[in-house]
């Protein structure tokens, strides 16, 4: 039903423009949505806001290129 059911991640990290503009309200809405769409126990997957903000994708790509 959701990627949470498939991958069972330890944490979700929101990054990019949405995280800086909608951070906490978006994380709360996603957390509420998980309650309706995941298997029992998986709806407690923590959702965090990236400290890298809108540059997270570029920093990750640069890091990958350097490896």
């Amino acid at each position: 039903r959701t990627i949470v059911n498939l991958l069972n991640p330890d944490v979700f990290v929101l990054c990019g423009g949405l995280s800086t503009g909608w951070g906490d309200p978006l994380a709360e809405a996603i957390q509420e949505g998980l309650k309706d769409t995941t298997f029992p126990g998986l709806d407690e997957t923590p959702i965090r806001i990236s400290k890298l903000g809108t540059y997270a994708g570029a920093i990750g790509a640069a890091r990958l290129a350097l490896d």
Side-chain angles (χ1 to χ4, degrees):
R1 294 171 53 175
T2 68
I3 198 161
V4 178
N5 291 332
L6 180 64
L7 300 178
N8 190 16
D10 293 327
V11 65
F12 275 114
V13 179
L14 300 177
C15 58
L18 282 176
S19 68
T20 56
W22 291 90
D24 291 330
L26 180 60
E28 291 170 11
I30 292 172
Q31 194 75 58
E32 284 298 313
L34 287 177
K35 292 178 182 177
D36 297 330
T37 59
T38 57
F39 295 129
L42 297 180
D43 59 342
E44 299 299 322
T45 302
I47 299 174
R48 306 282 186 251
I49 307 298
S50 169
K51 294 180 181 178
L52 300 177
T54 58
Y55 299 105
I59 292 170
R63 176 69 182 170
L64 184 61
L66 292 174
D67 283 347

